Amino acid sequence: WRAEGAGLRLAGTRAGGMAAAGLCGADFSDLREIKKQLLSVAERSRERGLQHSGPGSFFPSLLQEDARDLDAYTLAKSYFDLKEYDRAAYFLRGCKSQKAYFLYMYSRYLSGEKKKDDETVDSLGPLEKGQVKNEALRELRVELSKKHKARELDGFGLYLYGVVLRKLDLVKEAIDVFVEAAHVLPLHWGAWLELCNLITDKEMLKFLSLPDTWMKEFFLAHIYTELQLIEEALQKYQSLIDAGFSKSTYIISQIAVAYHNIRDIDKALSIFNELRKQDPYRIENMDTFSNLLYVRSMKPELSYLAHNLCEIDKYRVETCCVIGNYYSLRSQHEKAALYFQRALKLNPRYLGAWTLMGHEYMEMKNTSAAIQAYRHAIEVNKRDYRAWYGLGQTYEILKMPFYCLYYYRRAHQLRPNDSRMLVALGECYEKLNQLVEAKKCYWRAYAVGDVEKMALVKLAKLHEQLNESEQAAQCYIKYIQDIYSCGEIVEHLEVSTAFRYLAQYYFKCKLWDEASACAQKCCAFNDTREEGKALLRQILQLRNQGETSSTEIAAPFFLPASLSANSTPTRRVSPLNLSSVTP
């Protein structure tokens, strides 16, 4: 699971916005014009205190209405930069210009957020933490709503109004306002990104009336990655590279994240290593890179990355997550949890840290703390299937299968083609004695490409339980074929179980050659050796008595020719042990 561990923080294009009359359509023919537009909106964003909306400095745009409020704005902006938000808002009261008004409202919003975060840190336990709210939101909504009705909000004002609505859980209204903001100021990446966090599936995306601008292509590529539509995302990023963005480290990092999401670990590692060469001081997305190193147990590389990021900036959330992953790989789970907590003090809405902290609490058998961490992750992003799955696992440990079923279903809805979700669902249905549903889940898990190679065994055991011996035999045969076709020595606990069942099955069918072949394989395993020897003696005895093989029963038999005693698989831990649940 650690390959999925960290949140996919956007490492910005640092793209800003442009006026509605800007570039239309996905037209990349005039890259100079695109650059000019980006630089212009970057400065407009910076003036409003939106630090992550543009690539750098440009020449200030001083409109006539701005000049009237210039003294108050300049003083307030200096307080804003010092994070004295109440003080900044105080000196901006009564300002009429769009720029000053935005800074006034934004200062009030950030003041409320800062107080909420301070109170969250000071609160005693998880129950109190959940009750802490930004007290400024309702007032801001009332005031911004009036301005919105009077059509007095510019693109930045609409963006802030959308953020306030989202914070108040008014999702539908927030989506409409963010779409409006994207129309008014198509290059402001913040509005697109907020919209991205509210869209739950491709159907929702179809019904959005988005502006016909080239920035829409960046948005679509990003949302496809988030919705696990990786093929479409990679096509979009390739077209952006072909259009002239080949040197964009943002696009390279997003492609690496996309491969990370589909668990193509080698490809993702290769792209991240290339990215590190191009941009050695980059910190964005390095937590995702560290998850890949974790999954591959690449301790020296993870250690180097942790030290390197520590030298660059040790007070970044990504750095804390990388160090946390390093300690987790060394099985120092208390230290790992401490670093994930540090990350959350720096940014309480950092998705990856909540999920990873949940994993650490699970390792420490602290289920109540794990549940709390996973719930926080879901609050930040309802699309985080890892947190839903983690909640399912914690309730499984607590032996509460109805709860498990709910959370595993949510995880499965988000990752319909992930075999691990399906196997977990199947196990849940089994515990609830809904065996038909369980069979469907295991078969589907096998059909989509069973990561853990456990679905067929579980399906076979269900058939066994229901006395469907032929179907059970078919499943065990297919399972053995899959295990031995891997081309490497595969460790697996259930191979001996499969041979034992098949030996007994063929024995009952009076197919002595097949039963004998399987019984001999049983002799290679410690847990089935005695049974194998006993069965071989019985077969020999029956043959000596003149008992012939049955020719009437059409029993399935496909024993791979490559099977020999020295290629016997060895033990593998079961898939629900957290330390072993890796792609």
Side-chain angles (χ1 to χ4, degrees), residues 431-495:
K431 281 171 190 156
L432 295 166
N433 210 32
Q434 297 180 30
L435 302 185
V436 175
E437 294 299 319
K439 279 201 281 191
K440 283 181 194 168
C441 289
Y442 292 142
W443 179 250
R444 174 86 181 130
Y446 170 68
V448 297
D450 183 16
V451 175
E452 290 291 338
K453 297 273 184 276
M454 287 301 291
L456 280 172
V457 172
K458 290 179 181 296
L459 187 56
K461 285 180 176 176
L462 262 186
H463 284 307
E464 232 182 295
Q465 202 178 320
L466 297 165
N467 294 318
E468 298 165 354
S469 53
E470 192 173 327
Q471 290 94 320
Q474 289 280 13
C475 289
Y476 279 130
I477 287 164
K478 189 68 192 137
Y479 167 70
I480 289 168
Q481 285 177 323
D482 285 358
I483 291 298
Y484 281 91
S485 67
C486 289
E488 55 191 54
I489 297 175
V490 182
E491 300 181 353
H492 232 282
L493 177 65
E494 300 289 356
V495 174

Side-chain angles (χ1 to χ4, degrees), residues 111-265:
S111 167
E113 285 294 290
K114 187 172 183 293
K115 284 167 188 165
K116 185 187 86 167
D117 291 345
D118 292 347
E119 212 175 313
T120 303
V121 171
D122 295 340
S123 64
L124 298 172
L127 288 174
E128 292 95 325
K129 283 184 196 293
Q131 290 163 3
V132 180
K133 305 283 181 209
N134 179 344
E135 299 297 335
L137 291 176
R138 294 192 184 282
E139 280 180 30
L140 291 172
R141 184 200 168 197
V142 171
E143 290 175 43
L144 286 165
S145 172
K146 284 177 189 169
K147 286 269 188 185
H148 183 234
K149 279 174 188 163
R151 298 191 172 279
E152 290 175 11
L153 291 177
D154 64 359
F156 293 108
L158 287 165
Y159 162 73
L160 181 58
Y161 183 34
V163 170
V164 169
L165 290 170
R166 175 180 63 74
K167 287 273 187 178
L168 290 166
D169 290 322
L170 300 166
V171 175
K172 191 179 178 302
E173 294 94 321
I175 289 172
D176 292 341
V177 171
F178 286 130
V179 168
E180 194 181 338
H183 275 278
V184 174
L185 201 61
L187 269 183
H188 180 224
W189 185 240
W192 291 102
L193 201 52
E194 287 287 351
L195 196 53
C196 201
N197 292 332
L198 296 175
I199 293 165
T200 52
D201 53 50
K202 204 174 179 180
E203 283 304 304
M204 256 178 106
L205 194 58
K206 280 181 192 169
F207 291 105
L208 292 183
S209 168
L210 298 170
D212 189 17
T213 162
W214 60 267
M215 184 52 96
K216 180 179 165 185
E217 299 301 302
F218 277 93
F219 165 74
L220 288 174
H222 183 70
I223 187 74
Y224 288 153
T225 308
E226 288 285 286
L227 294 174
Q228 310 300 328
L229 302 166
I230 304 302
E231 204 174 309
E232 291 96 321
L234 291 172
Q235 283 172 1
K236 285 282 178 197
Y237 284 127
Q238 189 54 53
S239 66
L240 287 167
I241 287 169
D242 296 341
F245 290 90
S246 56
K247 290 182 182 174
S248 166
T249 53
Y250 161 72
I251 289 178
I252 296 166
S253 72
Q254 284 298 100
I255 291 170
V257 165
Y259 281 114
H260 161 275
N261 283 12
I262 52 169
R263 300 190 307 279
D264 189 339
I265 297 172

Side-chain angles (χ1 to χ4, degrees), residues 265-273 289 292-293 296 298:
I265 297 172
D266 293 330
K267 186 83 174 164
L269 280 171
S270 159
I271 296 169
F272 270 123
N273 282 321
F289 182 34
L292 296 162
L293 297 173
R296 280 289 156 88
M298 297 166 80

Side-chain angles (χ1 to χ4, degrees), residues 256-304:
V257 165
Y259 281 114
H260 161 275
N261 283 12
I262 52 169
R263 300 190 307 279
D264 189 339
I265 297 172
D266 293 330
K267 186 83 174 164
L269 280 171
S270 159
I271 296 169
F272 270 123
N273 282 321
E274 186 56 40
L275 183 64
R276 294 267 294 157
K277 284 178 195 166
Q278 286 188 34
D279 192 355
Y281 292 95
R282 181 189 183 87
I283 291 180
E284 292 98 338
N285 297 103
M286 288 302 111
D287 48 350
T288 307
F289 182 34
S290 76
N291 290 330
L292 296 162
L293 297 173
Y294 181 102
V295 169
R296 280 289 156 88
S297 298
M298 297 166 80
K299 229 179 248 183
E301 290 85 350
L302 188 49
S303 171
Y304 175 76

Side-chain angles (χ1 to χ4, degrees), residues 12 44 54-55 93 172 190 197 232 241 264 290-291 308 322 328 388 393 399 414 460 482 519 521 527 531 558 563 575:
R44 291 172 65 192
R93 290 166 310 145
K172 191 179 178 302
N197 292 332
E232 291 96 321
I241 287 169
D264 189 339
S290 76
N291 290 330
N308 183 232
V322 171
S328 184
W388 291 109
Q393 283 188 311
K399 295 186 169 50
L414 292 163
D482 285 358
K521 288 308 301 174
D527 55 336
E531 285 173 79
F558 309 99
L563 296 192

